[in-house]
Amino acid sequence: MHINIQRLWDDLSSTAQFGKVQETGLTRLTFDQSDKKIREWFTTTCRNLGGIVRTDRVGNQYARFFSLNDQQSTILVGSHLDTQPNGGRFDGILGVLAGIEVIRTFIDKQHTLKHAIEIINWTNEEGARFYPPMMGSAYACGHLDLNTVLQSKDKDGYLLRDVSEGFRSDLDVLTTIKPSCYLELHIEQGPVLEKEKINIGVVTSITGISWFSIRFFGKARHAGTTPLNYRNDAFIKAAKFTIEFQKYLIENSDNIIGTIGKIENIPNTPNTVPEETILYIDIRSANEEYLNNVGSVIEKIIRLKMSVNDFEVKKISSISPTNFSSLLISTIDKSIQEIGLTGRHIVSGAGHDALQLAKQIPTGMIFVPCEDGISHNVNENILKEYAENGANSLLKTILNLDEIIDE
């Protein structure tokens, strides 16, 4: 049994009109007009296939198929349909649309399943309009309270509660059904699978993420009248730290990756020696020990290697690494072998809705390559065969799970 790739590809192409930017990109932010259009498309398409479509209190969409009743064991399949500003056409979207294509294939083949299937579009995975990301899945799994979601504001001051009117309900759907497991198909968003010419990535875990700010202190002075040897320049300290921290990351590259992605300079004028410089660091690792130790590593670099004492380190946030179900990993492995595809185990460096689900039920993820590893970009792209391989892997994994899950 195989999916119809042309049908899936047509869906990917036609729905890319909702929020289209430039020729190949999308800007589809949570509950903007383009997001509401794709939500309406999801509802209409799934109902036309015989699905029971419901929303919950934060606008997550659930389309239920092959169901005898809500207490029938259910395989959840999902991802998200929102994007980054000037984002791509496949990040998240492939997973939802491939799930719908799998349903069409089961209907075409008149295949009977033991489990119900629930196709899910999670609200605000990207976090591009409202904070935090993975909002819908976090709420559904009990990791985020309703008030926090509804009171979240975008940059223009609009509340999620107000812009989502008509697209949410008073139901908590996930608590009314009996989920057995969760599967998510996604583009890799990195270069590994394509470079290694591997068809499928079997995701074993999602890295933990820690964010830090480092504030270096100096003295503001006139840039033209203060000789270099009389300066206490906060930015120079930050620059020296950046070089030393990069050395640490290179030495430990098998276990940790880090990015200094934001810098604030105070007073931030061309003719004043900086008084304060703040670095914002994103640290990711599948090894929790490395995540827990990175704060002390930062302090040691500054104190011992740089002999600087006027600084301040703060941990802004931290998410522990998430391991996926060994049963789902082995089932995905078996499924891709059975359909003749190559695969490898891979760690996801990006957060996904599957991270939230994995804390509650057995969860697995399937990655397909993306061209040049580009994502969150209008040039994000995948080949048609990547979509076909991913959707067929999803289908075969569901078939295999239908035989063994809950046994």
Side-chain angles (χ1 to χ4, degrees):
M1 193 185 309
H2 299 282
I3 61 97
N4 182 329
I5 182 54
Q6 190 57 52
R7 191 166 53 189
L8 172 57
W9 200 252
D10 288 346
D11 278 350
L12 289 164
S13 299
S14 63
T15 59
Q17 302 306 307
F18 303 137
K20 182 178 179 179
V21 292
Q22 301 179 40
E23 284 304 308
T24 58
L26 281 177
T27 295
R28 189 190 293 154
L29 307 184
T30 300
F31 295 120
D32 69 4
Q33 289 306 307
S34 59
D35 187 49
K36 289 176 180 178
K37 286 179 181 178
I38 191 69
R39 287 168 176 270
E40 290 166 351
W41 178 91
F42 177 93
T43 298
T44 300
T45 300
C46 292
R47 283 180 177 161
N48 287 344
L49 291 171
I52 301 167
V53 182
R54 298 175 283 186
T55 58
D56 65 12
R57 296 174 192 268
V58 300
N60 293 319
Q61 292 180 287
Y62 304 79
R64 189 168 181 81
F65 295 91
F66 318 125
S67 174
L68 301 175
N69 55 65
D70 273 353
Q71 290 311 300
Q72 182 180 2
S73 292
T74 304
I75 297 173
L76 308 182
V77 178
S79 198
H80 60 95
L81 296 172
D82 66 320
T83 75
Q84 289 287 328
N86 296 315
R89 297 174 294 161
F90 302 100
D91 172 5
I93 300 159
L94 175 64
V96 179
L97 271 54
I100 293 173
E101 175 54 30
V102 166
I103 296 297
R104 287 196 184 109
T105 303
F106 287 147
I107 293 171
D108 289 348
K109 303 299 183 182
Q110 299 182 332
H111 183 80
T112 302
L113 295 165
K114 299 175 183 177
H115 293 76
I117 305 291
E118 199 92 35
I119 307 297
I120 305 173
N121 168 33
W122 299 111
T123 291
N124 197 57
E125 190 274 350
E126 294 290 359
R129 184 177 185 188
F130 297 101
Y131 183 84
M134 297 176 281
M135 179 184 277
S137 55
Y139 169 76
C141 294
H143 308 144
L144 196 62
D145 68 89
L146 181 62
N147 190 60
T148 297
V149 175
L150 297 183
Q151 294 301 314
S152 181
K153 288 183 180 180
D154 68 9
K155 63 182 178 60
D156 297 314
Y158 290 103
L159 291 173
L160 185 143
R161 178 195 65 201
D162 297 331
V163 300
S164 61
E165 278 293 335
F167 289 85
R168 52 186 173 82
S169 71
D170 59 357
L171 297 175
D172 281 325
V173 178
L174 207 58
T175 64
T176 68
I177 63 177
K178 186 180 176 184
S180 295
C181 61
Y182 175 73
L183 274 173
E184 183 166 352
L185 170 64
H186 208 281
I187 63 171
E188 181 195 350
Q189 300 182 282
V192 175
L193 296 176
E194 186 183 54
K195 295 293 185 186
E196 297 184 3
K197 295 181 170 54
I198 299 291
N199 298 137
I200 296 294
V202 182
V203 186
T204 57
S205 62
I206 294 178
T207 60
I209 306 171
S210 289
W211 282 11
F212 288 86
S213 68
I214 310 173
R215 186 183 299 263
F216 293 94
F217 298 99
K219 295 281 187 183
R221 292 286 187 269
H222 194 292
T225 61
T226 310
L228 293 180
N229 59 330
Y230 286 100
R231 295 185 182 191
N232 184 358
D233 188 326
F235 181 78
I236 296 299
K237 297 174 188 177
K240 289 179 178 178
F241 169 79
T242 301
I243 293 169
E244 292 297 332
F245 190 61
Q246 181 75 358
K247 292 177 183 177
Y248 164 77
L249 294 174
I250 291 169
E251 290 169 1
N252 294 276
S253 59
D254 287 344
N255 290 293
I256 195 167
I257 191 168
T259 304
I260 299 173
K262 181 180 177 182
I263 301 174
E264 292 179 7
N265 231 21
I266 301 171
N268 205 33
T269 63
N271 56 351
T272 304
V273 176
E275 183 174 30
E276 289 184 30
T277 300
I278 309 166
L279 304 180
Y280 293 89
I281 305 180
D282 176 303
I283 301 292
R284 302 188 184 220
S285 178
N287 186 319
E288 192 149 24
E289 184 179 350
Y290 273 82
L291 280 179
N292 291 338
N293 290 340
V294 73
S296 60
V297 168
I298 289 170
E299 294 212 13
K300 285 178 182 176
I301 289 173
I302 299 170
R303 290 189 190 280
L304 301 181
K305 293 199 171 185
M306 296 170 51
S307 300
V308 170
N309 293 307
D310 46 347
F311 68 96
E312 179 181 86
V313 178
K314 284 186 179 179
K315 180 183 282 190
I316 300 171
S317 63
S318 185
I319 300 173
S320 294
T322 301
N323 294 318
F324 287 146
S325 159
S326 59
L327 174 62
L328 268 73
I329 291 169
S330 63
T331 304
I332 298 168
D333 282 336
K334 176 175 182 283
S335 300
I336 62 177
Q337 289 170 8
E338 288 175 343
I339 60 177
L341 298 176
T342 58
R344 62 156 284 177
H345 286 185
I346 192 168
V347 174
S348 174
H352 299 283
D353 291 307
L355 181 155
Q356 303 292 338
L357 275 295
K359 300 172 185 176
Q360 305 296 322
I361 58 175
T363 293
M365 282 196 82
I366 299 167
F367 274 177
V368 297
C370 56
E371 288 191 340
D372 296 325
I374 294 172
S375 186
H376 288 191
N377 185 307
V378 295
N379 295 313
E380 174 184 288
N381 194 36
I382 65 173
L383 300 181
K384 198 173 182 178
E385 67 184 75
Y386 297 168
E388 183 175 20
N389 290 339
N392 279 325
S393 299
L394 180 66
L395 183 149
K396 187 62 175 176
T397 301
I398 292 170
L399 287 173
N400 285 330
L401 286 171
D402 189 50
E403 295 296 325
I404 62 172
I405 202 81
D406 302 320
E407 290 297 324

